[in-house]
Amino acid sequence: MNDSAGGLSAPGVERILRARDWTGSPLGAPATWPPALAYAARFFLDATLPAFVGWGDAPGLLYNDAAVPLVGAYHPALLGGSLADWPEAWSELRPHVARALAGESFRVGRPACPLGEHDDAPAWLELAFAPLRDLDGTVRGFPCIVSGTGALRPVDAEFRAICDAMPHMVWSTLPDGYHDFYNQRWYEFTGMREGDTDGERWNTMFHADDRERAWDAWRHSLQTGTPYEIEYRLRHRSGEYRWVLGRAQPVRDAQGRIARWMGTCTDIHQQKRNEEALQDARMRLSAALVAADIGTWTYDLAHDRVYADRNLAGIYSVDEATAGGGPLSAYLAAVHPDDVAHTRRCIDDALATGESFECTYRVRRADGTWRDVLARGKVTFDAAGRPAWLPGVVLDISGQKRAEEALRASEMRFARLAESNVVGIVRYRMDGTLIDANQAFLDMLGYTREEFERDGLESRKLTPPEWADATARAMEELRTTGRMENLVKEYLRKDGSRVSVQMGSVTMDHPATEGVAVMVDVTPIQDAQRALREADRRKDEFLAMLAHELRNPLAPITAAADFLKVGRLDEDRVRQVTTIIGRQARHMTGLIDDLLDVSRVTRGLITLDRAPVPLAGVIGEAVEQVRPQVRAKSHHLELHLPSDDAQVEGDRKRLVQVFANILGNAAKYTPDGGRIDVHVRLDGGSVAVDVCDNGIGMAPELAARAFDLFSQAERSADRSQGGLGIGLALVKSLVELHDGTVVAHSDGPGRGSRFTVVLPRLASDTDDAFAEPVATGAAAPAEALEVLIVDDNVDAAQILAMYIEAVGHRATVWHSPGKALAYAAERHPDVCVLDIGLPEFDGHELARRLRALPGMADVPLVAVSGYGQARDRERALAAGFDRHFVKPVMAADILDVLDGVAARREQLRHVVPAQAGTEVEVPKPTR
């Protein structure tokens, strides 16, 4: 700091500055001060008024001796320190310091702002700020001169108290418009601190859309001295912009000059909102009246004048003059002649009783058509209690009338529908409780109206368990969308049976609590569809079985034909082959005859050759037909005939066919060594024949459809458990042609079956399928293959063996898979030809067991089957077969297999022996 005071003694502050340690001061040592700061410090140290100098961003602070009382206890530590170290002053002066550093010169008064803690501290300061520039013109600091200090006058304190007590925001400015005073309400509304909105900074509180308009009005008042009044939006402490009414009046001195402006801001935000809502309501009311075709009127009863709005004038087709106060008769002229008297009577009744006026009538449109209207009004009375005015409205209810008529018609149609016995209708709660139901629904479920009203019904208890999930999904759809369409489900009837319904439903409210469902009984349709699917399934099974059964006789016939082509035949062999062909041809003929019989019966083409027939003779003949089958399975067949020779009238041949079919069915499904009994009972005018066995029995559902066309027991590879499924259907048709009945009964699988034929009464050796192996043909050469044939069809096995031997190989035939397995374990054949449908266990199981035998893992296995679908081939290969042939098997196919095996054996015979210790891989036959 320069010593420019010469030899004079330095004031106290200056002495402190010279002695101060400037380390850490934001100003730095005086020797380093810029010239602008040094000159300003010198000037203010010599000033008589309290003065401060701030420099830099901190800012660093200097002051003179006159300012020491204002600094108080912060002196002398604050000298050369930062103004921020004087918190009371910094919080008050910070916005003003910012203005000065921004280059602004201004004056500001600070009422009720003590800066010191001593009793003499001033309560009012007049401060003058200016920017302090460096030599290059850059603002680096500020001087602040305290031009006046003192306590507030009582009138000033009273003025502030009055302003703070007012509900309005009060503000005041200097004559040039500089804002220097706000009451407490302003700060509470804006949330700003004192000083933040002084000067022109209050402009930042305006809404951006109102700022320019408000400033234009304020500038105009400042220039002209006229009062200031404007509505604008001011930012509230919440951040919301609220509407306020701003007003200001100039305060003039004795010479008429403006000494100050006094203003207020009044919060009118709610008032503006109310005005907007009222205007919106008026617009909506007007739009609603127009849209709804509603007219309003006021009827002056004393002067017979009706004042109508535009809508009412349009409804009654009156001109503007009449609408402005025409007589009542001008409006009644537009009313339908049939309704005039009624309308007048309604008006008179309202006037006489003072009650509300309400009347419906027809009014003529401009085009001559009629519209229905509803008029409503209320009589008002004068001071003497006399009727004076009748204001009211007229509504066009033509659409409502049409809707009411349509509703009545719809209700009548719905009532007729609900009362019908075709469609079931229920009203329900969303928890499944049925609230109401029509008679058709109750009839579907077998309940009476009395039972329903007494005990109630719940959908949950009426729904079978397997339908619970589908019902839950439908209810969820109802809750989500309010509607559910085309649900097919079942309900439990009262008697435990089931009814299938197709239904749709809608909810009646939102959120959904109730709904209405409409349904129809589709049980016959569902039953028919199930029956159709079942018939289609049985048809497919029948066609597959028919193909199988036809291939069985074709197999030995084809093999016999191939055998006859070999050429080295003797007379015995030819006779044996032709016998086989004839037997198999007769078997095929029998199958075809059965099919034709069924066709003729179903088309009604059978003609019975009726004559008295002894029933015992018929049964005896039928027994003879099935005796070879019974004997082959070692069945015990016993007849229980009455002493009387019962006779029936019928076609002997067809009756034999009936009982032969039933007996053959019993033999087919009774295991070896089983029992079959035939009982003939006389019962008044009828005779009953029971055919009982202790065979495999039937499940209840199979017994119920035993006589259906194509119906048969579960298909298995063992043909003895199958059939064409036409035999019992033919039995039923033939028995019914004889005016009789036939039924099937079984206590369940494994418990045997009983077939009972009831007719009106008018006033009687095969080859052992499991014998020892059959030796055939002459000896084969040493290079011949050993072929094992396993087939329970004797003819097919023998003819195939004859062919194999005729081409130079050896063949061994077994009809029992168990015995064939024992033979293979001992002899190790070169090739095995296995039928799939075998007794004991099928060909697949036999193949698996053969593969498990020592030395049989690589032996070629050939499957022969009447089933030729892709899954049948896949199953055979999975069981271990190398080839799969469908009956009838071509001789070339068998010869191809044998030639391939022989060729591989020949190839192995020429392989060079391996050295000791090495392994030779033997090629396996290709599957």
Side-chain angles (χ1 to χ4, degrees):
M1 182 174 176
N2 297 326
D3 185 4
S4 58
L8 298 175
S9 60
V13 169
E14 188 171 350
R15 285 197 304 273
I16 295 172
L17 290 176
R18 289 177 177 174
R20 192 187 193 287
D21 180 4
W22 293 94
T23 303
S25 170
L27 296 175
T32 64
W33 289 356
L37 176 59
Y39 289 134
R42 180 73 271 163
F43 175 79
F44 283 105
L45 287 173
D46 295 335
T48 60
L49 294 175
F52 298 85
V53 175
W55 186 266
D57 296 330
L61 185 66
L62 298 174
Y63 50 85
N64 60 7
D65 290 302
V68 169
L70 298 177
V71 177
Y74 289 98
H75 178 72
L78 187 63
L79 190 64
S82 171
L83 180 57
D85 296 333
W86 188 10
E88 297 89 348
W90 179 239
S91 63
E92 292 288 337
L93 301 179
R94 187 174 185 174
H96 306 299
V97 170
R99 292 175 59 190
L101 291 177
E104 183 180 354
S105 298
F106 58 92
R107 291 177 294 112
V108 63
R110 301 309 305 162
C113 181
L115 300 179
E117 298 179 354
H118 53 87
D119 295 337
D120 297 333
W124 178 265
L125 300 177
E126 292 288 343
L127 305 177
F129 283 88
L132 180 59
R133 303 178 185 273
D134 206 344
L135 296 180
D136 61 359
T138 303
V139 177
R140 298 290 303 280
F142 65 88
C144 175
I145 299 175
V146 181
S147 59
T149 63
L152 285 174
R153 296 188 303 272
V155 65
D156 295 331
E158 182 181 353
F159 171 74
R160 174 170 288 278
I162 292 173
C163 289
D164 287 344
M166 295 179 66
H168 308 284
M169 292 171 274
V170 179
W171 47 272
S172 179
T173 77
L174 299 176
D176 60 0
Y178 183 85
H179 287 67
D180 62 353
F181 171 77
Y182 299 93
N183 71 342
Q184 189 62 31
R185 192 71 62 199
W186 167 270
Y187 295 111
E188 292 174 355
F189 180 91
T190 62
M192 305 296 289
R193 295 179 304 179
E194 288 191 27
D196 287 352
T197 54
D198 287 355
E200 294 184 355
R201 282 175 293 171
W202 73 299
N203 185 42
T204 61
M205 305 301 294
F206 288 128
H207 190 283
D209 295 341
D210 302 335
R211 190 174 298 148
E212 190 64 32
R213 180 171 58 87
W215 266 105
D216 288 345
W218 179 233
R219 292 190 190 100
H220 176 73
S221 293
L222 292 176
Q223 293 169 4
T224 62
T226 57
Y228 171 75
E229 182 171 334
I230 189 173
E231 294 179 358
Y232 51 80
R233 285 164 290 182
L234 199 64
R235 189 176 70 234
H236 188 258
R237 62 177 179 274
S238 65
E240 175 190 18
Y241 283 91
R242 298 179 63 86
W243 283 99
V244 299
L245 172 62
R247 287 176 174 170
Q249 293 279 357
V251 179
R252 300 180 185 271
D253 60 15
Q255 290 75 34
R257 294 172 298 186
I258 296 177
R260 180 169 286 276
W261 287 84
M262 292 299 300
T264 62
C265 289
T266 304
D267 188 344
I268 60 170
H269 191 74
Q270 190 58 47
Q271 176 184 337
K272 291 285 285 186
R273 289 288 174 264
N274 293 342
E275 290 176 356
E276 293 172 357
L278 179 61
Q279 180 64 21
D280 181 65
R282 287 173 177 168
M283 293 178 62
R284 285 189 285 108
L285 175 61
S286 176
L289 292 175
V290 172
D293 212 0
I294 298 176
T296 63
W297 88 84
T298 302
Y299 181 24
D300 182 352
L301 298 172
H303 302 91
D304 188 26
R305 291 289 180 265
V306 178
Y307 301 93
D309 68 357
R310 184 178 302 175
N311 290 346
L312 189 75
I315 292 174
Y316 283 85
S317 302
V318 297
D319 56 27
E320 186 175 349
T322 303
L328 178 63
S329 58
Y331 293 88
L332 292 178
V335 177
H336 194 284
D338 296 344
D339 299 338
V340 172
H342 170 68
T343 305
R344 282 191 175 276
R345 186 163 56 253
C346 290
I347 296 174
D348 294 342
D349 290 345
L351 297 179
T353 62
E355 296 180 354
S356 298
F357 162 72
E358 183 169 323
C359 185
T360 57
Y361 47 87
R362 288 164 289 178
V363 175
R364 184 176 54 249
R365 292 189 178 94
D367 61 2
T369 60
W370 299 94
R371 75 171 85 197
D372 291 280
V373 299
L374 169 64
R376 286 177 175 167
K378 179 68 176 178
V379 178
T380 60
F381 299 87
D382 60 15
R386 295 185 299 268
W389 298 89
L390 179 59
V393 297
V394 167
L395 296 81
D396 186 336
I397 60 171
S398 301
Q400 177 183 336
K401 282 284 188 179
R402 290 192 298 270
E404 289 174 352
E405 293 172 359
L407 179 60
R408 281 194 295 271
S410 175
E411 288 175 344
M412 291 178 62
R413 290 193 299 270
F414 183 79
R416 288 196 296 269
L417 178 64
E419 293 167 1
S420 71
N421 60 352
V422 176
V423 178
I425 303 174
V426 295
R427 187 161 65 96
Y428 59 88
R429 296 189 184 93
M430 295 306 290
D431 63 1
T433 304
L434 303 189
I435 303 172
D436 196 7
N438 71 342
Q439 192 59 44
F441 177 79
L442 296 178
D443 291 343
M444 287 181 193
L445 272 64
Y447 289 91
T448 64
R449 174 66 57 182
E450 180 182 359
E451 290 171 331
F452 173 70
E453 294 177 352
R454 183 187 67 236
D455 304 326
L457 291 174
E458 295 183 26
S459 176
R460 177 175 53 84
K461 294 181 179 178
L462 296 173
T463 301
E466 64 270 25
W467 286 98
D469 290 345
T471 303
R473 288 193 297 271
M475 294 300 291
E476 184 60 31
E477 181 182 356
L478 274 170
R479 292 187 182 92
T480 304
T481 66
R483 62 189 301 115
M484 177 271 298
E485 299 177 357
N486 198 29
L487 171 66
V488 178
K489 63 170 288 185
E490 289 183 338
Y491 279 125
L492 294 172
R493 290 190 177 102
K494 178 183 175 182
D495 60 6
S497 62
R498 299 190 178 198
V499 57
S500 295
V501 298
Q502 183 173 16
M503 64 189 302
S505 181
V506 295
T507 55
M508 301 175 63
D509 51 7
H510 183 77
T513 60
E514 291 187 9
V516 174
V518 180
M519 65 198 73
V520 293
D521 185 349
V522 294
T523 305
I525 298 175
Q526 293 292 100
D527 291 344
Q529 289 176 343
R530 280 193 289 267
L532 184 60
R533 287 193 295 269
E534 178 62 20
D536 189 58
R537 183 189 64 79
R538 292 203 305 269
K539 177 205 65 176
D540 290 343
E541 291 181 355
F542 165 75
L543 291 176
M545 187 59 69
L546 176 60
H548 175 273
E549 292 294 332
L550 289 177
R551 286 187 181 115
N552 273 342
L554 281 175
I557 292 174
T558 303
D562 291 332
F563 173 73
L564 292 175
K565 296 175 183 177
V566 174
R568 293 174 294 181
L569 302 174
D570 56 37
E571 187 176 348
D572 291 338
R573 288 296 180 91
V574 172
R575 186 180 301 107
Q576 185 179 6
V577 169
T578 55
T579 300
I580 291 173
I581 293 174
R583 184 163 54 244
Q584 295 301 324
R586 287 191 297 273
H587 179 61
M588 287 186 64
T589 302
L591 291 175
I592 296 171
D593 286 343
D594 282 348
L595 289 172
L596 293 175
D597 276 348
V598 169
S599 175
R600 284 193 291 267
V601 169
T602 55
R603 290 184 296 160
L605 301 180
I606 288 287
T607 302
L608 298 180
D609 185 9
R610 290 180 178 269
V613 179
L615 194 55
V618 170
I619 294 175
E621 193 172 336
V623 169
E624 287 302 316
Q625 287 192 16
V626 300
R627 188 175 300 279
Q629 188 176 353
V630 170
R631 183 178 299 165
K633 300 184 72 174
S634 302
H635 290 152
H636 177 74
L637 175 59
E638 187 170 329
L639 302 180
H640 305 270
L641 304 177
S643 57
D644 294 341
D645 188 10
Q647 288 192 341
V648 297
E649 184 180 29
D651 188 320
R652 183 182 184 90
K653 177 183 177 182
R654 294 301 181 183
L655 289 174
V656 171
Q657 187 178 4
V658 166
F659 291 107
N661 262 319
I662 295 176
L663 286 167
N665 192 72
K668 181 186 299 184
Y669 293 107
T670 300
D672 292 359
R675 181 182 179 89
I676 301 174
D677 290 275
V678 180
H679 299 267
V680 179
R681 297 178 286 109
L682 304 180
D683 186 10
S686 62
V687 57
V689 180
D690 298 316
V691 179
C692 308
D693 64 65
N694 62 350
I696 65 173
M698 293 179 287
E701 59 271 16
L702 180 58
R705 56 181 177 84
F707 299 100
D708 292 350
L709 190 60
F710 308 147
S711 179
Q712 53 190 347
E714 183 180 357
R715 174 184 166 183
S716 67
D718 181 355
R719 287 189 306 277
S720 66
Q721 300 300 315
L724 292 182
I726 62 175
L728 292 180
L730 184 59
V731 165
K732 184 173 186 294
S733 298
L734 291 175
V735 170
E736 289 176 350
L737 286 176
H738 284 83
D739 303 319
T741 60
V742 60
V743 294
H745 173 77
S746 175
D747 291 333
R751 305 186 66 179
S753 303
R754 182 179 72 250
F755 287 81
T756 301
V757 177
V758 179
L759 296 170
R761 180 186 178 191
L762 283 179
S764 95
D765 358 1
T766 188
D767 300 312
D768 188 349
F770 304 111
E772 291 301 312
V774 179
T776 61
E783 293 78 18
L785 299 177
E786 184 72 32
V787 181
L788 171 63
I789 301 172
V790 185
D791 194 337
D792 62 339
N793 187 320
V794 178
D795 287 344
Q798 287 183 349
I799 198 67
L800 179 60
M802 292 168 62
Y803 176 78
I804 290 174
E805 290 183 345
V807 295
H809 300 286
R810 293 186 299 275
T812 301
V813 176
W814 286 95
H815 305 303
S816 166
K819 296 178 180 179
L821 188 64
Y823 171 83
E826 180 182 352
R827 299 293 297 273
H828 296 88
D830 299 309
V831 180
C832 296
V833 180
L834 312 179
D835 184 27
I836 296 299
L838 294 171
E840 301 180 47
F841 48 86
D842 65 15
H844 299 123
E845 180 62 23
L846 178 58
R848 283 188 285 269
R849 295 189 187 185
L850 286 173
R851 288 288 185 213
L853 292 177
M856 293 292 292
D858 297 323
V859 173
L861 303 183
V862 179
V864 178
S865 172
Y867 300 106
Q869 298 185 17
R871 63 174 179 269
D872 299 313
R873 292 187 177 88
E874 292 169 0
R875 187 180 177 192
L877 296 178
F881 284 102
D882 298 283
R883 300 290 296 273
H884 178 275
F885 294 129
V886 179
K887 297 178 181 179
V889 183
M890 297 293 103
D893 294 333
I894 294 296
L895 185 59
D896 180 62
V897 172
L898 298 178
D899 289 346
V901 175
R904 282 192 291 275
R905 288 183 57 173
E906 183 67 20
Q907 186 179 21
L908 291 175
R909 197 174 292 117
H910 292 85
V911 174
V912 178
Q915 297 178 359
T918 64
E919 295 182 356
V920 178
E921 182 180 357
V922 178
K924 295 183 179 180
T926 302
R927 292 189 179 182

